[in-house]
Amino acid sequence: MSVTKKTSPPSHRAPAPVPAVDPRLLVREEGLKGYLTEFTRKIRGGELGSLPVVLGLIAIAIVFQAQNSNFLSASSVANIAVYSSGLGIMAVGIVFVLILGEIDLSMGSVAGVGAAVWAVLNVTNGMNDVLAVALAVASGLVIGLLHGFFFAKVGVPAFVVTLAGFLGWSGLQIWLMGKEGSINAPSGSIVENLTAYYFEDKAAAYGLAAVAVLAYALSLFLDSRRRRAAALPARPTGEILLRTGVVAVLCFVAAYILNEPEGARGLPLALVLFLAVLVIADFVARRTLFGRKVFAVGGSAEAARRAGINVDRVRIIVFGLSGMLAAFGGLFVASLSGGATKSLGSGNTLMLVIAAAVIGGTSLFGGRGKVWSALLGMIVIQSIQQGLNMIGMANEIQYMITGAVLLAAVVIDSVSRRTQKTAGRA
């Protein structure tokens, strides 16, 4: 009896899975060609970043320099920096609120209250200058936290809460000032020096430029090393050097303009403080857990809540931060105007602050924005105003041009979001 052996069918083994490769690694391996391809892809996908505002600044500089050769002079650049500081600090607070997808209409009134609190405590009642400034900033923090409480806990829309604040805090500001229409800043006081003090030693401007470049290079290097340690795509050394070189050129050119030409007064203290606020706020937004929570809540509050984020707490803190920066910025405005007044923070203050954040690239739809957009947007606005003043343009024309720039920024933001949705990147 013969025994037949059963032959098993040939085994078909599944091919080994091919590990996925991050497209950013391929881009960097291709060198310059890869970066150009990635840049083109981002533009087509609506990821414009700061490109529109940078191109706008270049165009503004070219146009006004052609109209008046003093537009890029030391005194003109210093004026732009100083006048950008107070409103720019306020715009930093608005950036956080806009990232939440909300709005704060009380910024101007809170700035006025902050200036009034300082003036009454320091000038009228003789309180220590430092303590009066601290209490003025603290008053803005308390007001902002109050707005956040009514919005997050009571459920009143932020638009309504801050609109009520806009009216109510304006009344408080007038009441605090009493019969005096204005209270002048004492000579040599902290508030006066906020915008009047300049570091005349040339080493100050060049030293700040060097510190900024070194800090930027160090942050890129540490970020790259951290990503490599986590087996994530990281910037190659060549890209780090290129980025650092571009920042170095910008910083040292600015330092040269502030120092060297005839009529230069040196480095403004206002610019130093504004940059300090930007650096701290940028660190909070990009490098802390709280910053990531703000972006998460702005992207989708319900998804953030399901992920375990205390949405109410985040909202209250953001509005508190907005109020605090509004009061701090109000002290800069008081410094520029020579003291606190009943009308400080009124007029177009609120619109300029919101416009700066939006023009700089922060989305009105929430979940997207950078702290540095406050700097870029405010420089755009102040450059336009400075240039138009130098060629003798009327105020009404300035308002119309600034409004047109704001509308263009919102249109770009809307088109960019629509393009990203079409490309599947939103």
Side-chain angles (χ1 to χ4, degrees):
M1 180 177 179
S2 61
V3 179
T4 59
K5 295 181 178 181
K6 293 183 179 180
T7 58
S8 58
S11 60
H12 297 283
R13 294 183 178 179
V18 179
V21 179
D22 194 303
R24 288 174 291 184
L25 290 176
L26 297 177
V27 167
R28 286 163 180 157
E29 287 177 358
E30 293 177 0
L32 179 60
K33 179 182 177 182
Y35 282 104
L36 290 176
T37 302
E38 178 71 1
F39 176 77
T40 304
R41 181 194 65 80
K42 286 184 176 181
I43 295 299
R44 290 177 177 174
E47 301 176 49
L48 301 178
S50 300
L51 180 62
V53 68
V54 171
L55 294 178
L57 279 172
I58 294 174
I60 289 169
I62 293 174
V63 170
F64 286 122
Q65 183 66 17
Q67 296 292 322
N68 190 317
S69 59
N70 291 324
F71 178 73
L72 294 178
S73 65
S75 59
S76 177
V77 172
N79 283 338
I80 292 173
V82 170
Y83 279 87
S84 297
S85 57
L87 297 181
I89 289 173
M90 296 168 66
V92 173
I94 278 290
V95 167
F96 279 92
V97 175
L98 291 179
I99 290 174
L100 277 184
E102 303 298 336
I103 194 66
D104 187 349
L105 300 179
S106 67
M107 296 291 288
S109 298
V110 177
V113 169
V117 168
W118 162 80
V120 170
L121 293 178
N122 176 246
V123 182
T124 305
N125 295 302
M127 180 179 286
N128 176 268
D129 205 2
V130 176
L131 181 57
V133 169
L135 290 177
V137 175
S139 67
L141 173 63
V142 172
I143 289 173
L145 292 174
L146 187 63
H147 291 164
F149 172 80
F150 278 102
F151 167 52
K153 294 295 187 180
V154 181
V156 183
F159 178 89
V160 177
V161 172
T162 56
L163 179 59
F166 167 75
L167 298 173
W169 305 126
S170 294
L172 177 61
Q173 174 188 356
I174 296 173
W175 179 79
L176 287 172
M177 295 294 294
K179 296 180 180 179
E180 299 291 336
S182 63
I183 301 178
N184 295 332
S187 177
S189 65
I190 291 178
V191 170
E192 184 194 49
N193 287 332
L194 285 177
T195 58
Y197 186 82
Y198 286 73
F199 297 95
E200 296 181 357
D201 191 341
K202 294 181 180 180
Y206 288 121
L208 179 62
V211 169
V213 172
L214 291 175
Y216 181 72
L218 182 62
S219 67
L220 291 181
F221 174 76
L222 293 178
D223 181 69
S224 178
R225 188 174 70 173
R226 183 169 56 249
R227 294 181 69 86
R228 291 182 190 278
L232 295 172
R235 291 189 176 96
T237 304
E239 181 183 346
I240 293 176
L241 294 176
L242 178 61
R243 287 173 175 265
T244 303
V246 172
V247 171
V249 170
L250 295 175
C251 290
F252 280 98
V253 167
Y256 172 78
I257 293 176
L258 291 172
N259 273 338
E260 298 297 334
E262 184 178 354
R265 299 179 59 185
L267 177 66
L269 173 63
L271 178 61
V272 176
L273 295 176
F274 183 19
L275 292 176
V277 171
L278 285 167
V279 170
I280 295 173
D282 181 66
F283 177 82
V284 171
R286 296 194 303 115
R287 301 295 184 184
T288 66
L289 179 60
F290 171 75
R292 290 190 286 271
K293 288 180 179 180
V294 173
F295 280 96
V297 173
S300 174
E302 184 58 33
R305 185 177 286 107
R306 295 188 179 187
I309 296 175
N310 190 329
V311 174
D312 291 346
R313 179 185 300 172
V314 171
R315 286 172 167 169
I316 292 174
I317 293 176
V318 166
F319 275 91
L321 179 65
S322 176
M324 181 180 69
L325 292 176
F328 188 39
L331 297 179
F332 284 77
V333 178
S335 178
L336 286 171
S337 59
T341 65
K342 290 183 176 181
S343 60
L344 190 148
S346 59
N348 61 348
T349 298
L350 174 63
M351 293 300 101
L352 290 179
V353 170
I354 297 177
V358 176
I359 291 172
T362 300
S363 176
L364 280 171
F365 303 98
R368 189 178 65 185
K370 294 181 179 179
V371 169
W372 290 93
S373 63
L375 172 64
L376 292 174
M378 191 52 65
I379 289 178
V380 168
I381 291 174
Q382 292 299 334
S383 296
I384 292 174
Q385 292 188 346
Q386 176 78 4
L388 292 176
N389 284 331
M390 294 179 73
I391 63 177
M393 194 68 69
N395 286 335
E396 54 268 25
I397 303 299
Q398 295 184 29
Y399 291 156
M400 287 188 283
I401 292 178
T402 304
V405 172
L406 173 59
L407 177 61
V410 177
V411 169
I412 291 174
D413 182 33
S414 300
V415 173
S416 174
R417 288 178 62 88
R418 189 179 306 170
T419 305
Q420 289 186 46
K421 287 182 179 181
T422 303
R425 302 182 186 280

